[in-house]
Amino acid sequence: MIDVGIINYNGGKDLCLCVESLLLQSSPVRVFVFDNASTDDSIELLEKSGKACEIIRSDKNLGYAGACNGLLERMTAEIQVLCNMDLEFDTVWSRELQACFDRHPECGSVASLVMEKSGYVNAVGVLLGKDLFAKNEGSGLTVGDVDIREKKVFGCYGAVMSFRRKVVDAVGRMDDSFFLFFEETEWYFRHNLCGYETVFCPNAKVYHERSLTTVRYSPRKLFYSERNRLRSAVRLLPWSRIVQLPLLAVKRYLSMAKGGVPGKSGDGKKLSKVSICMAIAKAWLQVLLMLPAELAVRHKYEKKYGSVKNKVIDLLKKYSL
């Protein structure tokens, strides 16, 4: 049996469609829905639909990581999945996922092939830059232009993460102080540091409408992703790489700026260079204020995992952008 936990926040009808696609699986799964204090009628719509799932309500928004941890407290199956509410699962997804776990008893996780509903690839795996900037492998390309062989990858894309229950016991829960973004990347660094690997399964296919909750191109999304990337860098990178973070960041910002600033975010709100710069500045400032706490986490990781910096550098070489 596979347990699937869905994190919902104002998912509307997309939540019902996601649950329905899971209940139509050729190999049955158990479905859990963690509602992060939604303000829409998504849970009411789900209840009225009569679809078989367990609903967990939070009276406040715990963020993605907090909701994931809430689901992990309820799920008991040997294979566990955490996912967004804006997904539709191919009918044979669970069968193919289980078969991949069976073929690779040594692996801790299996990554699904995540597709855009337009037909383009959303993610095969995750690739990483020198400053831990994470990018979905194959994003925006056609299937014919991407290496979709069954292969080892850094970890699962955060929209749908599948792993063995024993892995959670070894790796621990996600850091709920991250709230949004990069929590799954930081978790998968720990997953690798514990000696577990992730296998990509091209036959376990999922369709994803990106950034339904957080809004594509929004300053809020930029703030959390930058802040949490930097926090993870302080925890994991060697000092020689940490002191290069400002320079590496400037190079990346300039490279991204060449493409121009989108006029609007995904929800139609006007974007400005000022709002984007403010989000980046806020992220860096918060990391400076959090430095003592992050250094304490770094020390804890070094005690638990040994030579963290060397292992992380090896991972960055293996799964580089």
Side-chain angles (χ1 to χ4, degrees):
M1 178 63 72
I2 296 174
D3 282 350
V4 182
I6 304 169
I7 295 89
N8 179 62
Y9 180 72
N10 293 343
K13 65 180 181 180
D14 290 278
L15 173 62
C16 287
L17 292 172
C18 180
V19 173
E20 182 178 12
S21 71
L22 286 165
L23 296 179
L24 292 173
Q25 290 296 299
S26 56
S27 297
V29 301
R30 291 193 301 184
V31 181
F32 299 76
V33 176
F34 190 101
D35 184 63
N36 240 343
S38 293
T39 57
D40 72 347
D41 61 349
S42 53
I43 294 299
E44 287 71 21
L45 288 172
L46 180 60
E47 289 177 325
K48 287 179 182 178
S49 73
K51 291 178 172 59
C53 62
E54 180 177 334
I55 299 172
I56 307 158
R57 290 181 172 84
S58 175
D59 57 4
K60 65 178 182 178
N61 190 340
L62 302 179
Y64 197 77
C68 286
N69 291 338
L71 285 163
L72 291 173
E73 290 176 3
R74 295 292 189 97
M75 300 192 299
T76 59
E78 290 304 312
I79 303 300
Q80 302 186 349
V81 181
L82 296 170
C83 70
N84 290 4
M85 78 280 178
D86 53 354
L87 300 177
E88 289 185 34
F89 291 80
D90 186 76
T91 53
V92 297
W93 168 81
S94 62
R95 186 186 71 195
E96 295 294 342
L97 188 80
Q98 183 67 64
C100 190
F101 272 110
D102 293 342
R103 284 195 299 275
H104 300 277
E106 78 289 350
C107 80
S109 295
V110 170
S112 301
L113 170 59
V114 187
M115 300 286 296
E116 296 274 4
K117 292 178 181 178
S118 63
Y120 287 93
V121 172
N122 190 173
V124 167
V126 179
L127 299 177
L128 300 153
K130 293 181 179 180
D131 58 353
L132 300 195
F133 179 73
K135 183 179 180 180
N136 296 339
E137 182 181 353
S139 179
L141 301 176
T142 64
V143 172
D145 293 327
V146 181
D147 179 6
I148 58 168
R149 295 172 299 117
E150 190 164 291
K151 60 182 180 179
K152 291 178 181 178
V153 293
F154 167 77
C156 296
Y157 170 39
V160 53
M161 300 172 281
S162 310
F163 41 79
R164 301 183 193 274
R165 184 175 65 174
K166 68 178 184 180
V167 169
V168 179
D169 295 334
V171 179
R173 302 294 171 87
M174 294 191 185
D175 189 334
D176 56 17
S177 71
F178 276 35
F179 194 73
L180 285 172
F181 296 111
F182 219 85
E183 65 280 290
E184 80 281 4
T185 308
E186 198 272 351
W187 191 84
Y188 268 103
F189 269 109
R190 285 188 274 140
H191 179 279
N192 280 279
L193 290 170
C194 282
Y196 292 109
E197 294 180 320
T198 302
V199 174
F200 165 66
C201 180
N203 295 325
K205 192 179 297 184
V206 181
Y207 296 93
H208 181 218
E209 187 62 38
R210 288 189 295 172
S211 300
L212 180 63
T213 301
T214 53
V215 183
R216 196 180 297 193
Y217 308 126
S218 71
R220 180 172 182 253
K221 180 175 181 176
L222 178 59
F223 162 72
Y224 280 114
S225 58
E226 280 296 282
R227 185 195 70 169
N228 296 336
R229 176 187 65 82
L230 291 167
R231 291 177 63 188
S232 301
V234 173
R235 297 178 180 188
L236 298 165
L237 289 177
W239 284 107
S240 59
R241 187 70 61 84
I242 290 174
V243 297
Q244 297 178 43
L245 286 175
L247 178 61
L248 292 171
V250 169
K251 287 183 178 180
R252 181 162 51 81
Y253 298 151
L254 290 175
S255 177
M256 294 169 69
K258 289 180 181 178
V261 177
K264 294 181 180 180
S265 59
D267 59 355
K269 292 182 180 179
K270 186 177 180 180
L271 278 178
S272 69
K273 293 179 181 179
V274 172
S275 64
I276 291 174
C277 290
M278 288 292 290
I280 293 173
K282 182 181 177 184
W284 280 82
L285 178 60
Q286 280 206 11
V287 172
L288 288 174
L289 295 174
M290 300 171 78
L291 202 55
E294 297 305 328
L295 291 175
V297 175
R298 179 187 178 91
H299 180 67
K300 182 177 74 173
Y301 284 4
E302 288 173 346
K303 287 183 66 176
K304 181 175 181 179
Y305 304 118
S307 182
V308 170
K309 60 184 181 182
N310 291 333
K311 294 176 182 177
V312 168
I313 290 298
D314 286 343
L315 285 171
L316 295 183
K317 291 178 180 177
K318 191 173 183 180
Y319 302 110
S320 63
L321 286 171

